[in-house]
Amino acid sequence: MANGPPAVELVDLRKSFGDHVVLDGLTLRVPTGGVHALLGQNGAGKTTTVRILATLTRPDSGTARVAGHDVVRQRRRVRRAISLAGQHAALDDGQTGVENLTMLARLAGLRAPAARARAAALLDRFDLADAAGRRVVTYSGGMRRRLDLAASLVGAPSVIFLDEPTTGLDPRSRQGLWEVIGELAGAGVTVLLTTQYLEEADRLADRIMVLHDGGLVAEGTALDLKRRFGAQRLELTWRDAAGLAAAARRLGDRVTHRDPARLALSVATDGTAPQVRGLLDEVDPDRHGVVRFTVREATLDDVFFTLTGRPASPEREVARV
């Protein structure tokens, strides 16, 4: 990632809707360049954060800067530097793909010949040239998302916000969009991505930030977060619900994930034989309850459950790795 001033910087950002606190002193810094993923449960404040950064919502207090510009005092400068692709494609279904992009290029201030050239270049870049003359209403979901991303790049932004861009797409379309996002980052654009698909963050993001209860609870690379919150997991499957419940009581807050439907739970481990034997003896001293166990590497799912499954303290300490 490039050195220099951050692409995005938030300091003590707060936002409430009525009595509901959405952002509670959020502070984070996004370096210039690369893909940065913002993770969190529904209601954690991801979309609100993006809307504030895109100047669509005003914060109650704190400061937010994008490309060096304050999102409240310098809204026009922010808007010239950014683009936003939301959860739903913002396209005119009655127009063709080329008409959509040409119209947006004209609205961005390009003359007609330049607008047509810009539209053609983007359609080619996003593998939509063959569908340029078709009305958008005939496009598949994956094609619409690619066209929406192309539309967001008409103005050549330095920072692009993607709010759950692959929601509702089939696996093949998601894969295609992942490739496009990688190309954007490779071209020097700073991409801030919100997603509920943890494998998406694992695959795409140079750095991951986890929100919980309106604040930042951890940030780092995917590998660093996995190491920080347990390099391996011991997964235990129980004979019955009573044994599962008893084991959960013994382990307490060491349980990283629990799945009553599968009669399974997970606990962090270093993977060594002595520790695994010790855990098995601790939770199943009679050796009649556990029917199967597996030791595996931690995933972002484990990180997510560990971080968001515990209550946030009033004075939140961020785990930076």
Side-chain angles (χ1 to χ4, degrees):
M1 297 178 202
N3 295 321
V8 173
E9 189 169 27
L10 308 180
V11 178
D12 198 27
L13 202 67
R14 299 178 185 274
K15 181 65 181 178
S16 298
F17 295 97
D19 294 332
H20 179 55
V21 178
V22 179
L23 300 179
D24 187 16
L26 176 61
T27 296
L28 60 83
R29 185 179 187 273
V30 176
T32 298
V35 180
H36 310 266
L38 198 59
L39 302 182
Q41 296 169 311
N42 287 335
K46 303 186 300 297
T47 295
T48 298
T49 299
V50 169
R51 288 184 61 83
I52 289 173
L53 293 172
T55 75
L56 299 176
T57 300
R58 291 176 67 96
D60 296 334
S61 63
T63 60
R65 301 180 71 84
V66 178
H69 307 304
D70 187 278
V71 300
V72 175
R73 299 194 307 270
Q74 299 171 298
R75 295 174 65 195
R76 289 185 178 179
R77 290 186 178 182
V78 171
R79 289 180 176 181
R80 283 197 293 266
I82 69 168
S83 188
L84 168 65
Q87 297 179 26
H88 305 287
L91 303 167
D92 184 341
D93 284 348
Q95 290 189 326
T96 66
V98 68
E99 288 171 342
N100 267 276
L101 296 188
T102 302
M103 175 187 67
L104 291 172
R106 293 286 284 151
L107 291 173
L110 297 183
R111 295 183 179 275
R116 288 194 295 269
R118 181 66 174 158
L122 287 169
L123 288 164
D124 185 62
R125 179 179 182 182
F126 285 85
D127 196 24
L128 291 169
D130 290 343
R134 287 169 44 191
R135 288 196 302 159
V136 173
V137 70
T138 68
Y139 282 21
S140 68
M143 293 170 66
R144 289 173 64 88
R145 294 307 287 155
R146 294 205 306 277
L147 184 62
D148 195 38
L149 270 182
S152 71
L153 293 175
V154 163
S158 61
V159 181
I160 182 169
F161 302 115
L162 304 180
D163 191 15
E164 301 188 13
T166 61
T167 297
L169 296 187
D170 60 74
R172 184 174 182 178
S173 296
R174 287 180 64 204
Q175 179 70 35
L177 205 57
W178 287 356
E179 293 174 0
V180 169
I181 292 170
E183 291 173 4
L184 292 178
V189 177
T190 302
V191 179
L192 182 61
L193 168 77
T194 74
T195 180
Q196 295 190 57
Y197 299 120
L198 300 184
E199 76 276 14
E200 187 164 84
D202 203 352
R203 165 75 178 272
L204 295 176
D206 300 293
R207 195 162 185 85
I208 295 169
M209 298 160 286
V210 184
L211 296 188
H212 184 55
D213 283 356
L216 182 68
V217 292
E219 61 177 327
T221 66
L223 181 59
D224 288 339
L225 289 174
K226 292 172 189 176
R227 288 173 175 169
R228 171 67 176 83
F229 296 100
Q232 299 189 62
R233 291 291 185 269
L234 175 63
E235 288 191 340
L236 304 168
T237 303
W238 296 83
R239 190 177 306 280
D240 52 46
L244 175 68
R249 286 194 298 271
R250 291 191 186 100
L251 291 169
D253 59 8
R254 287 180 291 167
V255 174
T256 59
H257 183 50
R258 184 174 175 180
D259 187 347
R262 294 177 49 243
L263 297 177
L265 60 77
S266 299
V267 60
T269 176
D270 62 12
T272 62
Q275 191 193 43
V276 170
R277 280 195 297 265
L279 284 169
L280 288 170
D281 288 340
E282 178 184 355
V283 298
D284 188 20
D286 297 329
R287 302 188 179 184
H288 296 308
V290 175
V291 295
R292 184 170 59 255
F293 71 89
T294 304
V295 178
R296 63 169 176 78
E297 294 296 320
T299 66
L300 275 185
D301 292 78
D302 298 314
V303 172
F304 187 82
F305 284 126
T306 298
L307 290 169
T308 64
R310 66 187 184 203
S313 60
E315 295 183 1
R316 184 180 292 104
E317 182 174 342
V318 177
R320 288 186 173 87
V321 292

